Amino acid sequence: MRRSVSLSIAMASSLGVCRLHMRGRGGLVKSLRRVQTFVHRNTGTVVAAADGDPLRKEATDEKHGRRSLSAVQAERQGQAERSVLISCNPRTNEKKFLKFLSRHGDVSKYFFYESYGIYALVEFTKRESVASLLEEAAIPTVSHEALVPFKTRLLSLKNIDSVGSTNQQYQPQTTAPINQLIQRLSREESIDRQVISLTESYQLTEENSRLRFLVCSLLQDMVAAYFPECAIKPFGSSVNGFGKLGCDLDMILDLDSISGRKAKTPKSASSLEYQLKRASTERAVTQSILSVIGECVDQFGPGCVGVQKILNARCPLLRFAHQPSSFQCDLTANNRVAVKSTELLYLYGQLDPRVRFLVFTVRCWARAHGITSSIPGAWISNFSLTVMVLFFLQRRSPPIIPTLDHLKGLAGPADKSVIEGNDCTFVSDFSRIQLRSNTETLEQLLCEFFDFYATFAFGKMSINIRKGKEQNKPEVAPLHIQNPFEISLNVSKNVNATQLGRFVALCQESSWLLQQVETATPTGGAAGNTPRPWGLAALLQPSQVAEIKSRKKRRREPASERIRTLLESLKNNKQPNKS
Amino acid sequence: MRRSVSLSIAMASSLGVCRLHMRGRGGLVKSLRRVQTFVHRNTGTVVAAADGDPLRKEATDEKHGRRSLSAVQAERQGQAERSVLISCNPRTNEKKFLKFLSRHGDVSKYFFYESYGIYALVEFTKRESVASLLEEAAIPTVSHEALVPFKTRLLSLKNIDSVGSTNQQYQPQTTAPINQLIQRLSREESIDRQVISLTESYQLTEENSRLRFLVCSLLQDMVAAYFPECAIKPFGSSVNGFGKLGCDLDMILDLDSISGRKAKTPKSASSLEYQLKRASTERAVTQSILSVIGECVDQFGPGCVGVQKILNARCPLLRFAHQPSSFQCDLTANNRVAVKSTELLYLYGQLDPRVRFLVFTVRCWARAHGITSSIPGAWISNFSLTVMVLFFLQRRSPPIIPTLDHLKGLAGPADKSVIEGNDCTFVSDFSRIQLRSNTETLEQLLCEFFDFYATFAFGKMSINIRKGKEQNKPEVAPLHIQNPFEISLNVSKNVNATQLGRFVALCQESSWLLQQVETATPTGGAAGNTPRPWGLAALLQPSQVAEIKSRKKRRREPASERIRTLLESLKNNKQPNKS
């Protein structure tokens, strides 16, 4: 280990929004503590600490953070149901606003943010308060226009006294631009600190997470009108622990609780059945339901714009932008394998904090270089990238995370899950999972990650987190990553040779950069002047390789001296170890 | 009066389904009573009668029947909310079926009928019974198909023991074919009896009326999901007292209760408003709402087929067929003038039983001759025809019904109603209306009706029930009937000269037929053999005039002797009085 690490974990949010502070040995650290967090976690022991010692809190928070995703979701859903979204005036007096709200009950949480105007998310202690608030809300009077009288928990505040100072603090709902991030990282004193800082800058905040669940809850109000037993839940990045501030909100309409109640009466007895509309397939039913919800969102939903019904996709979906939250929303139905994937990723992220740090870093790095994109195409997806990180962490020695087959072996009877013929069983009780004692630093892991994929035998091998070992490719595809649950599917089927080539070249370049003294050591940013990007910050800068390649294509210009060195070292593939 | 009349009124249904028995002097009448029903009604006195005398009951029923339409509707809606519709096996054992249902509570009313299979409408005494029943109902299991899990009060009975006799009695939901009606009427002993018999055959039954309100209630369940304060009510023929068994079900979505709650807080105070989707006009809002409901009915509604969104009509509407009831349904929204028109027609029908008898007869006569049609076109509508009958009754001496202006004059402050600038005010309290003592028989009125319109100055005059007098035509149109509430509109704008000509020619022919001894006197149908059609039955037979006219067009064949006589008499227009 090049740098010793002090980990102080504060699981700020129950959604696994970890703030793990790693401090380099030569840094500003006042007390140097070496906390074997991973080991404690594995054995379940809690670090002994005097009262007031931050470690006590950390241990508790950690426990809190390791609740199952469904428990976390249930809590968040409860919060969302007690919440309203209120459009405010930028000069709304916060004190008076709270006094106004308190007439309806205790406010347990509130915050302001900006999205096409100023909004406040207000969570009451009791659900009755929301009912009381809505009871008082009026239908606005408009001239020259008409209104669809569809009432939701999206409100507007009128005529609040705007005297006094405007002391609103706006909670950010998007990440800072990459340039600002590069500047911030360049000031850090170690690559470990850089990785942590990047994650802290990019991860979902407590507030953003609440907003996501509230948007689901608002949509559920709409759908529950027709399917009272249904639930709309976020899945994917919004809840798997790897979501970036500003990422899309993927939602699933869970109709299982309805369709699950089959006729039970014995054949001889009389019974009643609901008369239901029939469709040829489950898919057709899903399309019907999404179509109606789409109409409703489009015609009635305040702040919902750009509604697209993408019903002929492999997984039919409804896409729309929710302006009051700025979320790009995708709603699918009965997409249960996706929910299982989310739970698996969440579990891996909870097992060891280094998982989340590495995934955030690799995702951010990939996006900075256009390896991933928000537009569908032959690019590597964030999900593929995450599975690649997980696979890499399974391949460490000792492994940092277990294989999916191992997690399946630990499963109890209640964990049994077969979805459309796919075995999606894995353990849900975190305490059963025993981890091996790997103490590699984030810097080491980052370097090794780039090395690992710079030299991976993509041509022959398939990435397989179920086995935790590369397997022979079952089919021809530039990149083959076995879908963890639908094992006959290739997660990265869409990726073409060009995109895989770019990824490999960038891994090589990044690995090289992390081994050069001038790019891999802190440059010091004391006097407020912007330091030269180094370490992770250097990796996020526009690629030299890409630059050269695109130039070559254009005019075949001679490469500069520095770039030639880089390219030669890449050709060798075996770089000398950094001193 | 040619025949004295005994009226025994049994207002069987609170919807004004009257059964008024008129008996001819020379008939099978056992006790000849002359009941001045109309006079009693006018003065509010009740016929003195010993206990057990049928008149006591009649007087009570009459009072019952004269409740306001809204009171009647509220009762029917309550019944509908406590009802379910159950698809049964034709061999369902009625006794066991009732026993099965009784587990959920007392059944206050039930009946079987046929519509794409056997159905039972079951009304419980309490609404909780419906909830209990639904609680027990299962989602069916289907193979090779999928189901939309949208639950309604439309159910299927499974596995009921079908042993024992099948004693189900099916309530008819459609009228008998015209030929059967003609045969039945031919056996009657007077034209008055024929008119009554026709009305009894054609009017909505108690059961059919319940079914209409239940279909509205089922649709309201769907819409209330989005607009909890809304109501879906039948209007037009289904409730105005003039509906024929099997007529379309016109429904209105009343959103007034929602949009009416405007912001009330004074400008200085803080307040909350709902954020609502905006549209350019009220019409656009109506279109949005009907569009979403249409999607829902189409995709989710069991038994709802052939959904058409007719959103660009003057009054946007949603059309669909409801198979479990066999109703052709039209849903409009905020069509408040139509509701007022319904109330007005209902009121006129309640004032004097002859109104309903004459309207039923004229409507049936018009339909038999293709004067009206279910297809939109240049035909006279049932509404126009009804207004023409009302106008005719206002023009009797003394008038049988008052003018709309008179009803407006009697209105109290609560009756004030202005809809989109149109004054729709008229009295709702029936007891304020004093009628004149007109004692004309149905036969007289029918003859006079045909005479009246055979000689009406359609070329110059407009029909106006507000004034109760013909007015100079304000615009060029073959037929001008002022809309009672939107007074600048012509109810019969669509009617062309050809259609008006056919109507006039048929009035002339019918008037002539009722004055010929061979067609206007009973032929006696004692021995079970089918008697020759006479009186009203003769009027419903295919027209001679139409026959000639179409023949003339085809080949100009010489007309038969009988027809030549007819045509000549029509030319003269002044027929000799019948002896």
Side-chain angles (χ1 to χ4, degrees):
Chain A
M1 242 194 329
R2 248 184 73 238
R3 286 192 181 92
S4 75
V5 169
S6 155
L7 298 168
S8 67
I9 298 163
M11 295 274 186
S13 131
S14 51
L15 257 182
V17 179
C18 289
R19 294 202 190 97
L20 193 144
H21 304 281
M22 289 190 169
R23 299 172 189 118
R25 187 183 269 158
L28 300 164
V29 188
K30 286 190 181 154
S31 67
L32 199 80
R33 269 206 203 103
R34 192 187 185 101
V35 186
Q36 293 288 346
T37 315
F38 315 138
V39 181
H40 299 146
R41 182 165 287 170
N42 302 345
T43 55
T45 55
V46 171
V47 180
D51 276 349
D53 189 313
L55 282 180
R56 164 93 62 204
K57 184 178 176 303
E58 287 152 14
T60 320
D61 283 342
E62 184 193 328
K63 261 192 147 177
H64 182 70
R66 287 188 66 187
R67 290 185 307 157
S68 75
L69 181 57
S70 56
V72 171
Q73 288 206 327
E75 186 188 340
R76 285 278 185 218
Q77 279 165 11
Q79 290 168 347
E81 284 165 8
R82 299 191 304 271
S83 300
V84 294
L85 210 48
I86 304 176
S87 162
C88 300
N89 191 293
R91 294 184 54 78
T92 297
N93 183 297
E94 193 168 339
K95 212 171 151 189
K96 291 190 181 176
F97 176 54
L98 283 176
K99 197 180 158 200
F100 173 76
L101 294 171
S102 67
R103 287 191 290 130
H104 302 283
D106 289 343
V107 171
S108 55
K109 165 100 185 169
Y110 75 95
F111 61 89
F112 293 94
Y113 67 92
E114 279 190 279
S115 171
Y116 300 86
I118 307 303
Y119 278 87
L121 184 153
V122 177
E123 181 196 316
F124 287 96
T125 311
K126 290 180 182 159
R127 212 169 162 177
E128 299 87 90
S129 303
V130 173
S132 161
L133 192 79
L134 295 183
E135 190 68 32
E136 197 193 63
I139 300 278
T141 321
V142 290
S143 47
H144 313 302
E145 272 191 316
L147 299 165
V148 180
F150 181 70
K151 299 173 179 178
T152 69
R153 284 180 278 145
L154 179 61
L155 304 161
S156 294
L157 186 67
K158 296 288 163 189
N159 309 320
I160 261 277
D161 241 331
S162 48
V163 205
S165 62
T166 58
N167 47 355
Q168 295 170 11
Q169 289 234 330
Y170 301 139
Q171 295 294 330
Q173 304 301 321
T174 48
T175 55
I178 188 83
N179 289 345
Q180 276 179 33
L181 179 71
I182 290 173
Q183 283 183 29
R184 188 186 306 165
L185 299 186
S186 302
R187 289 195 191 93
E188 295 290 350
E189 62 206 16
S190 70
I191 289 180
D192 279 13
R193 289 281 318 151
Q194 287 185 324
V195 168
I196 294 162
S197 177
L198 179 143
T199 305
E200 286 176 347
S201 305
Y202 267 47
Q203 70 193 352
L204 297 187
T205 59
E206 163 76 11
E207 288 76 18
N208 192 262
S209 182
R210 280 171 188 263
L211 192 53
R212 284 170 191 269
F213 275 86
L214 179 53
V215 173
C216 288
S217 186
L218 295 176
L219 192 60
Q220 184 175 320
D221 284 353
M222 275 195 181
V223 179
Y226 289 136
F227 306 107
E229 296 131 327
C230 83
I232 291 191
K233 295 174 189 168
F235 74 99
S237 295
S238 296
V239 286
N240 65 14
F242 304 125
K244 188 181 127 184
L245 203 57
C247 69
D248 289 356
L249 174 56
D250 291 319
M251 295 176 279
I252 189 164
L253 168 63
D254 183 3
L255 291 167
D256 276 358
S257 46
I258 307 173
S259 46
R261 270 176 47 185
K262 303 286 183 197
K264 278 175 226 154
T265 348
K267 286 223 167 169
S268 58
S270 307
S271 66
L272 285 175
E273 284 182 354
Y274 286 102
Q275 274 196 38
L276 303 178
K277 200 115 183 175
R278 286 167 184 234
S280 52
T281 58
E282 279 295 340
R283 180 180 163 84
V285 170
T286 301
Q287 287 168 329
S288 275
I289 291 172
L290 290 179
S291 173
V292 175
I293 298 173
E295 277 299 301
C296 178
V297 168
D298 195 20
Q299 309 269 12
F300 299 165
C304 298
V305 298
V307 178
Q308 288 174 271
K309 297 179 183 180
I310 306 168
L311 302 180
N312 291 320
R314 190 176 82 90
C315 185
L317 69 100
L318 187 68
R319 177 165 288 169
F320 63 95
H322 186 250
Q323 287 187 333
S325 65
S326 291
F327 293 141
Q328 182 67 31
C329 302
D330 277 355
L331 176 69
T332 56
N334 283 342
N335 190 0
R336 286 173 288 164
V337 175
V339 171
K340 275 285 159 189
S341 297
T342 301
E343 288 173 10
L344 182 66
L345 262 54
Y346 175 80
L347 183 145
Y348 276 127
Q350 291 288 298
L351 289 181
D352 189 299
R354 289 172 294 181
V355 178
R356 291 183 65 246
F357 288 124
L358 212 61
V359 170
F360 264 103
T361 303
V362 171
R363 280 191 178 194
C364 180
W365 163 85
R367 188 56 172 271
H369 295 294
I371 293 290
T372 56
S373 168
S374 59
I375 307 155
W379 293 274
I380 298 175
S381 69
N382 268 328
F383 182 68
S384 294
L385 211 54
T386 305
V387 174
M388 289 169 90
V389 174
L390 296 178
F391 182 74
F392 161 74
L393 294 172
Q394 289 175 335
R395 302 296 291 135
R396 302 310 299 152
S397 179
I400 292 180
I401 52 171
T403 67
L404 179 49
D405 268 349
H406 182 76
L407 295 177
K408 182 183 163 186
L410 296 174
D415 297 329
K416 178 97 183 149
S417 167
V418 178
I419 299 167
E420 289 157 24
N422 300 301
D423 192 341
C424 302
T425 307
F426 61 91
V427 65
S428 62
D429 180 359
F430 290 44
S431 71
R432 293 200 197 174
I433 307 167
Q434 298 291 313
L435 298 182
R436 309 278 295 280
S437 183
N438 175 310
T439 54
E440 288 174 290
T441 64
L442 293 171
E443 179 178 348
Q444 284 175 306
L445 290 171
L446 193 61
C447 291
E448 295 290 340
F449 173 84
F450 291 127
D451 244 23
F452 185 82
Y453 284 112
T455 59
F456 189 83
F458 288 109
K460 284 195 294 183
M461 307 310 280
S462 165
I463 291 165
N464 187 318
I465 61 164
R466 182 165 280 282
K467 303 281 174 213
K469 272 191 195 131
E470 43 266 51
Q471 306 283 308
N472 285 323
K473 262 194 202 179
E475 60 186 53
V476 181
L479 175 60
H480 196 280
I481 303 173
Q482 191 191 56
N483 187 311
F485 298 117
E486 296 168 281
I487 58 172
S488 66
L489 299 182
N490 175 11
V491 163
S492 53
K493 196 181 163 188
N494 62 309
V495 177
N496 64 18
T498 309
Q499 291 303 323
L500 178 63
R502 287 188 60 228
F503 171 74
V504 172
L506 273 160
C507 283
Q508 292 168 347
E509 178 182 342
S510 296
S511 173
W512 182 83
L513 284 170
L514 287 178
Q515 289 169 86
Q516 307 309 307
V517 178
E518 64 264 40
T519 48
T521 44
T523 48
N529 55 331
T530 310
R532 178 175 54 75
W534 75 277
L536 179 53
L539 300 193
L540 297 179
Q541 288 201 298
S543 158
Q544 313 291 340
V545 178
E547 183 71 5
I548 298 150
K549 285 203 169 172
S550 69
R551 263 195 228 155
K552 263 191 176 173
K553 267 194 181 165
R554 284 204 309 266
R555 278 183 282 168
R556 297 202 165 269
E557 278 178 356
S560 77
E561 187 63 19
R562 183 175 172 274
I563 292 160
R564 198 153 47 224
T565 322
L566 166 67
L567 285 174
E568 268 158 24
S569 82
L570 291 178
K571 269 181 208 152
N572 296 333
N573 244 342
K574 273 281 157 218
Q575 299 97 333
N577 274 332
K578 211 168 8 167
S579 59
Chain B
M1 238 187 341
R2 250 182 76 237
R3 286 190 182 91
S4 74
V5 170
S6 156
L7 298 169
S8 66
I9 299 164
M11 294 276 185
S13 130
S14 51
L15 256 182
V17 179
C18 288
R19 294 201 191 97
L20 193 144
H21 303 282
M22 288 191 171
R23 298 168 189 123
R25 187 183 270 162
L28 300 163
V29 187
K30 288 192 179 154
S31 69
L32 197 82
R33 267 204 204 104
R34 192 185 186 103
V35 186
Q36 293 288 347
T37 315
F38 314 139
V39 180
H40 300 144
R41 183 164 285 167
N42 301 347
T43 55
T45 53
V46 172
V47 179
D51 274 350
D53 188 312
L55 282 179
R56 164 91 65 203
K57 185 178 176 299
E58 286 154 12
T60 319
D61 283 344
E62 183 192 326
K63 259 192 150 177
H64 183 69
R66 287 188 67 188
R67 292 185 306 157
S68 74
L69 181 57
S70 57
V72 171
Q73 289 206 327
E75 187 188 340
R76 287 277 186 219
Q77 280 165 11
Q79 290 169 347
E81 284 165 7
R82 299 192 303 271
S83 302
V84 294
L85 211 48
I86 305 177
S87 163
C88 300
N89 191 293
R91 293 183 54 79
T92 296
N93 184 295
E94 192 169 341
K95 212 171 152 188
K96 291 188 181 178
F97 176 55
L98 282 176
K99 198 180 158 199
F100 174 76
L101 294 170
S102 67
R103 289 191 289 130
H104 301 284
D106 290 341
V107 171
S108 55
K109 165 100 186 170
Y110 75 96
F111 62 89
F112 293 95
Y113 68 92
E114 280 190 278
S115 171
Y116 300 87
I118 308 302
Y119 278 87
L121 185 152
V122 177
E123 181 195 315
F124 287 95
T125 310
K126 289 180 182 160
R127 213 171 161 175
E128 298 88 90
S129 302
V130 173
S132 162
L133 192 81
L134 295 183
E135 190 68 31
E136 198 194 62
I139 299 278
T141 321
V142 290
S143 48
H144 313 303
E145 273 192 316
L147 298 165
V148 180
F150 179 71
K151 299 174 177 177
T152 70
R153 284 181 278 146
L154 180 61
L155 304 161
S156 295
L157 186 67
K158 296 287 163 189
N159 308 321
I160 260 279
D161 242 331
S162 48
V163 205
S165 62
T166 57
N167 50 354
Q168 293 170 13
Q169 289 234 330
Y170 302 137
Q171 296 294 330
Q173 304 301 321
T174 49
T175 54
I178 188 85
N179 289 344
Q180 278 180 33
L181 179 71
I182 289 173
Q183 283 182 29
R184 187 185 307 165
L185 299 187
S186 302
R187 287 195 192 93
E188 295 289 351
E189 63 205 14
S190 70
I191 289 180
D192 279 13
R193 289 281 317 152
Q194 288 184 324
V195 168
I196 294 162
S197 178
L198 179 145
T199 305
E200 286 176 347
S201 305
Y202 268 46
Q203 71 192 354
L204 297 187
T205 60
E206 165 77 11
E207 288 76 19
N208 191 263
S209 182
R210 280 172 188 262
L211 192 53
R212 285 171 190 269
F213 275 86
L214 179 52
V215 173
C216 288
S217 187
L218 295 176
L219 191 61
Q220 184 175 319
D221 284 354
M222 276 196 180
V223 180
Y226 289 136
F227 305 107
E229 296 132 327
C230 84
I232 290 191
K233 296 174 189 169
F235 75 98
S237 294
S238 297
V239 285
N240 65 15
F242 304 125
K244 187 180 127 182
L245 204 56
C247 70
D248 289 357
L249 174 55
D250 290 319
M251 294 177 279
I252 189 165
L253 168 62
D254 182 3
L255 291 166
D256 277 358
S257 46
I258 308 172
S259 47
R261 269 176 49 184
K262 303 286 183 197
K264 279 174 224 153
T265 347
K267 287 223 167 168
S268 57
S270 307
S271 66
L272 285 175
E273 284 181 356
Y274 286 101
Q275 274 197 37
L276 303 177
K277 201 114 181 175
R278 286 167 185 234
S280 52
T281 58
E282 279 295 340
R283 179 180 164 83
V285 170
T286 300
Q287 287 169 330
S288 275
I289 291 172
L290 289 179
S291 174
V292 175
I293 298 173
E295 278 298 302
C296 179
V297 168
D298 195 21
Q299 310 268 12
F300 300 165
C304 298
V305 297
V307 178
Q308 287 174 272
K309 297 179 185 181
I310 307 169
L311 303 180
N312 291 320
R314 190 176 83 90
C315 185
L317 70 101
L318 187 68
R319 177 165 288 170
F320 63 95
H322 186 252
Q323 288 187 333
S325 64
S326 293
F327 292 140
Q328 182 66 33
C329 301
D330 277 354
L331 176 69
T332 56
N334 283 342
N335 190 359
R336 285 173 288 164
V337 175
V339 171
K340 274 286 160 189
S341 297
T342 301
E343 287 173 10
L344 182 67
L345 262 54
Y346 175 80
L347 183 144
Y348 275 128
Q350 291 288 298
L351 289 181
D352 188 301
R354 289 172 294 183
V355 178
R356 290 183 66 247
F357 288 124
L358 212 59
V359 170
F360 265 104
T361 304
V362 171
R363 279 191 178 194
C364 180
W365 163 86
R367 188 55 172 273
H369 294 294
I371 292 290
T372 56
S373 167
S374 59
I375 308 156
W379 293 275
I380 297 175
S381 69
N382 268 328
F383 182 67
S384 294
L385 213 53
T386 306
V387 174
M388 287 168 91
V389 174
L390 296 178
F391 182 73
F392 161 73
L393 294 172
Q394 288 175 336
R395 302 294 292 133
R396 302 312 298 155
S397 180
I400 292 179
I401 51 171
T403 67
L404 179 50
D405 268 350
H406 181 76
L407 296 177
K408 182 182 164 189
L410 296 174
D415 298 327
K416 178 97 183 151
S417 167
V418 177
I419 299 166
E420 290 156 24
N422 300 300
D423 192 340
C424 301
T425 307
F426 62 91
V427 65
S428 61
D429 179 359
F430 290 42
S431 72
R432 293 200 197 173
I433 306 167
Q434 298 290 314
L435 299 181
R436 309 279 295 277
S437 182
N438 175 308
T439 54
E440 288 174 288
T441 64
L442 293 172
E443 179 178 348
Q444 283 176 307
L445 290 172
L446 193 61
C447 292
E448 295 290 340
F449 173 84
F450 291 127
D451 244 23
F452 185 81
Y453 284 113
T455 57
F456 190 82
F458 287 109
K460 285 195 295 184
M461 306 311 277
S462 166
I463 291 165
N464 186 318
I465 61 165
R466 182 166 280 283
K467 303 281 173 213
K469 273 195 193 127
E470 45 265 51
Q471 308 281 309
N472 285 323
K473 264 194 201 179
E475 59 187 53
V476 182
L479 176 60
H480 196 282
I481 303 173
Q482 192 192 55
N483 187 310
F485 298 117
E486 296 168 282
I487 57 171
S488 65
L489 299 182
N490 175 11
V491 163
S492 53
K493 197 181 161 188
N494 63 308
V495 177
N496 63 18
T498 309
Q499 290 305 321
L500 179 63
R502 288 187 60 229
F503 171 74
V504 172
L506 273 161
C507 283
Q508 291 168 345
E509 179 181 342
S510 296
S511 173
W512 182 84
L513 283 170
L514 287 178
Q515 290 170 86
Q516 307 309 307
V517 176
E518 63 266 40
T519 49
T521 43
T523 48
N529 56 331
T530 308
R532 177 175 55 76
W534 75 277
L536 180 52
L539 300 193
L540 298 179
Q541 288 202 298
S543 159
Q544 313 289 342
V545 179
E547 183 70 5
I548 298 151
K549 284 201 171 173
S550 70
R551 261 194 229 158
K552 262 192 179 173
K553 267 192 183 166
R554 284 203 310 267
R555 278 184 281 170
R556 296 201 167 268
E557 280 178 353
S560 77
E561 187 63 20
R562 182 173 174 276
I563 292 160
R564 199 156 46 225
T565 321
L566 167 65
L567 285 174
E568 268 160 25
S569 85
L570 290 177
K571 269 182 208 152
N572 295 335
N573 243 343
K574 272 284 162 217
Q575 298 97 337
N577 273 334
K578 210 168 11 166
S579 58

